[in-house]
Amino acid sequence: MKNPFDNLDKSLEHRVRLQIMSVLVTNEAYDFNSLKELIGVTDGNLASHMKALEKEKYISITKSFADRKPNTKYKATERGRTSFRKHLEALEDILKQQKK
Amino acid sequence: MKNPFDNLDKSLEHRVRLQIMSVLVTNEAYDFNSLKELIGVTDGNLASHMKALEKEKYISITKSFADRKPNTKYKATERGRTSFRKHLEALEDILKQQKK
DNA sequence: TAAAAGCACTTTGGAATTCAAAGTTAATTA
DNA sequence: TAATTAACTTTGAATTCCAAAGTGCTTTTA
C-alpha cells in the first residue's frame, strides 16, 4: 500500500470543512442556518469555509426565498462526494495500518 | 453517540504530526533523521513539530552519541499513545457514521 | 591543535490560514 | 419608508506553517 498520508485531502483536513462535507454527503441538502447551528460557528466563518469548498467544486449552492425569507441550500457535488470518499479511505488505511 | 468531531485532537489534526505519532506508536523508538526522511520535511520543520508534540507531552526525547555522531531518539509517551488512540477512535466514529 | 563537518536544533521572516466582529446587500414586513 | 432578517463580504488580528539561514556541540580530519 502506498503511503496513505499522501492521500489525505488538504481541503478536508480542517475539522469544520470535514464536518460540513460529512453532513452534505449524508443529507440530500442542508441550509445555511441549520449548518451553522449544527457546527457551532459564526455566520462569517461558515460562509468562508463554504466558499473554500465551492472553490474546489465540492459543493453547489441554491438560493431561494422560503417562507418569505432568503434561504441558501447546499449540496455535495459528485466531485465533492468522490473527494470525501477518498479522504475517508485514506483515513481508513491509516487506521488499518495502525491495527497491524 | 456524541458528536465525534468534538473528540478530534487539535494537535493531531495536522498531517505531519499525525504521521509522526503513527510512526512512534507502532515503533518502540525512532530517530530524527529516519523520521525526517520518512516524512519528507526539512529538519527545522520536523524539529518544530516535535517541539509541539513535546509541549503536549506526547513524546519523549533521548539524546546520545551513536557511532560517534549525535543521535536523537523519540518515543511516544503513554499520554501520547492514549491521545493518539482517542483521536483514531474519533476518526473511526466519523467513518462509522458515514456508513450508516 | 586548528579547521571542517555533521547533527539537531533555533531563529527569522514571510506566507497562508483561521477567526470574530463589523459592515453590506437584498428582500420582506410593519 | 424604516426596520428586520439571512447570508454574506470585508477587515484586522492572531495563529500556524514553512524554508532557509544561523547556532552549538562533538567528532573527525588535516
Side-chain angles (χ1 to χ4, degrees):
Chain A
M1 191 196 306
K2 258 184 11 198
N3 183 353
F5 291 91
D6 294 340
N7 295 329
L8 294 173
D9 185 323
K10 193 91 193 348
S11 301
L12 301 178
E13 280 177 34
H14 193 280
R15 191 195 291 238
V16 169
R17 288 188 300 271
L18 183 63
Q19 193 169 2
I20 291 168
M21 287 307 293
S22 171
V23 169
L24 294 186
V25 160
T26 48
N27 295 274
E28 220 277 299
Y30 225 82
D31 66 63
F32 188 87
N33 271 319
S34 309
L35 214 43
K36 181 181 141 187
E37 264 185 47
L38 185 68
I39 299 183
V41 288
T42 59
D43 57 348
N45 194 1
L46 179 57
S48 71
H49 282 300
M50 297 316 283
K51 203 175 175 182
L53 291 172
E54 201 198 350
K55 195 176 161 198
E56 294 294 325
K57 301 212 166 71
Y58 284 3
I59 59 163
S60 67
I61 305 183
T62 313
K63 297 182 186 206
S64 68
F65 270 78
D67 294 333
R68 298 177 176 171
K69 286 185 203 166
N71 181 273
T72 303
K73 283 215 156 140
Y74 299 103
K75 288 186 179 192
T77 61
E78 259 321 300
R79 179 176 157 79
R81 286 171 192 275
T82 301
S83 296
F84 182 70
R85 197 177 55 244
K86 290 203 169 156
H87 184 75
L88 293 196
E89 277 165 15
L91 290 176
E92 265 187 340
D93 289 343
I94 290 167
L95 291 171
K96 268 184 219 155
Q97 205 180 57
Q98 281 308 310
K99 301 209 163 157
K100 269 182 212 149
Chain B
M1 192 196 304
K2 259 184 7 198
N3 184 352
F5 291 91
D6 294 340
N7 295 328
L8 294 173
D9 185 322
K10 194 90 191 354
S11 301
L12 301 178
E13 281 177 35
H14 192 282
R15 191 195 291 238
V16 170
R17 287 188 301 271
L18 184 63
Q19 193 168 1
I20 291 168
M21 287 307 293
S22 170
V23 170
L24 294 187
V25 160
T26 49
N27 295 274
E28 220 276 299
Y30 225 82
D31 66 65
F32 188 88
N33 271 319
S34 309
L35 213 44
K36 182 181 142 187
E37 264 186 47
L38 185 69
I39 299 183
V41 288
T42 58
D43 58 348
N45 194 2
L46 179 57
S48 72
H49 282 301
M50 296 318 282
K51 203 174 172 181
L53 291 172
E54 201 198 348
K55 196 177 160 198
E56 294 293 326
K57 301 212 166 72
Y58 284 4
I59 60 165
S60 66
I61 304 183
T62 314
K63 299 182 187 205
S64 67
F65 269 77
D67 295 332
R68 297 177 178 171
K69 287 185 202 166
N71 182 273
T72 303
K73 283 217 155 135
Y74 298 102
K75 288 187 178 191
T77 60
E78 259 323 300
R79 179 176 156 81
R81 286 170 193 275
T82 301
S83 296
F84 182 70
R85 197 176 55 244
K86 290 204 169 156
H87 185 73
L88 293 197
E89 277 166 14
L91 290 175
E92 266 187 341
D93 290 342
I94 290 167
L95 291 172
K96 268 184 220 154
Q97 205 180 58
Q98 281 306 310
K99 302 212 161 151
K100 268 182 214 149

